[in-house]
Amino acid sequence: HTADRSASLDAALAYAARGWAVFPCHSLVRVVADGADHYRCDCGKRCSSPGKHPHTREGLKEATTDAATIRRWWARWPGANVAIATGAASGGLVVIDLDAKHDGVEHWREIAERNGGHAECPVALTGGGGQHLLFHSAEPVQNSVSVIAQGVDVRADGGYVIAAPSLHYSGRAYTWELSSDPEDVAVPELPAWVLALAVRKR
């Protein structure tokens, strides 16, 4: 049960056309056991990061906006999960990754309210119940985990996120929130208060 093959390639090409560098990651295979659906990584190994690790040897370092390269990858791995490189590789894309397990959505809402909020931005719903909020930063920002708040991670230089229509190991797909698709909502500048809290690149 990999992601829809044509949709996966189409999404990768569309992201690349926006200037976001992409690369293919492993997807999930549906396994029926004890009468219930389970999902395992198609790498076939005992995997600690199912559906989230690269197909290519260099992974993130090979992320590209070149359509011919993307088509070649997806011809080899149809239905691969789509990863978007964050930070300078994608023109300063910064993703605020809100982790459902650590109440990241609630913590972000509280800290945003205290600091004056932020402009409307594209929002992705992750298969794990969290959210990805997309911003742009002219200043270099580094990845961080729970620095801004518990469950609020920053994906920027040296990082990447899995994007729609990829599959999560829960069996649910990553999707764009209906009113917050990047086709319809511009990616705003990262608010100054977030930049102040984030880890700057030295």
Side-chain angles (χ1 to χ4, degrees):
H1 187 79
T2 54
D4 179 88
R5 294 180 175 211
S6 60
S8 179
L9 172 59
D10 288 349
L13 290 170
Y15 297 143
R18 299 184 65 88
W20 298 345
V22 300
F23 61 97
C25 280
H26 285 275
S27 190
L28 284 297
V29 178
R30 182 166 63 104
V31 179
V32 179
D34 303 321
D37 285 354
H38 302 273
Y39 291 84
R40 62 172 175 77
C41 190
D42 70 2
C43 69
K45 300 171 184 169
R46 190 185 292 275
C47 185
S48 61
S49 191
K52 293 186 177 182
H53 62 107
H55 266 300
T56 61
R57 183 173 297 170
E58 298 295 326
L60 175 63
K61 293 178 182 176
E62 295 180 75
T64 185
T65 58
D66 180 67
T69 302
I70 293 165
R71 289 183 185 279
R72 190 168 67 246
W73 280 337
W74 262 264
R76 183 174 180 185
W77 300 294
N81 275 354
V82 183
I84 299 174
T86 49
S90 291
L93 181 67
V94 175
V95 177
I96 305 298
D97 183 358
L98 308 180
D99 187 346
K101 290 198 296 285
H102 298 104
D103 300 322
V105 174
E106 289 77 13
H107 291 151
W108 172 259
R109 192 173 292 130
E110 291 167 4
I111 199 166
E113 283 178 5
R114 284 203 305 272
N115 287 278
H118 56 82
E120 184 181 12
C121 65
V123 178
L125 306 178
T126 73
Q131 295 181 8
H132 289 160
L133 279 56
L134 275 63
F135 296 96
H136 171 269
S137 177
E139 290 199 41
V141 177
Q142 285 193 316
N143 287 325
S144 63
V145 176
S146 293
V147 169
I148 290 177
Q150 183 70 16
V152 177
D153 302 339
V154 176
R155 306 289 177 209
D157 281 357
Y160 66 92
V161 291
I162 304 298
S166 303
L167 277 177
H168 184 266
Y169 62 82
S170 63
R172 294 188 296 270
Y174 290 75
T175 59
W176 291 105
E177 194 177 69
L178 286 177
S179 60
S180 306
D181 189 299
E183 293 295 323
D184 305 316
V185 177
V187 178
E189 282 299 308
L190 189 69
W193 65 264
V194 181
L195 194 59
L197 294 172
V199 180
R200 306 288 187 92
K201 192 170 184 182
R202 300 297 174 204

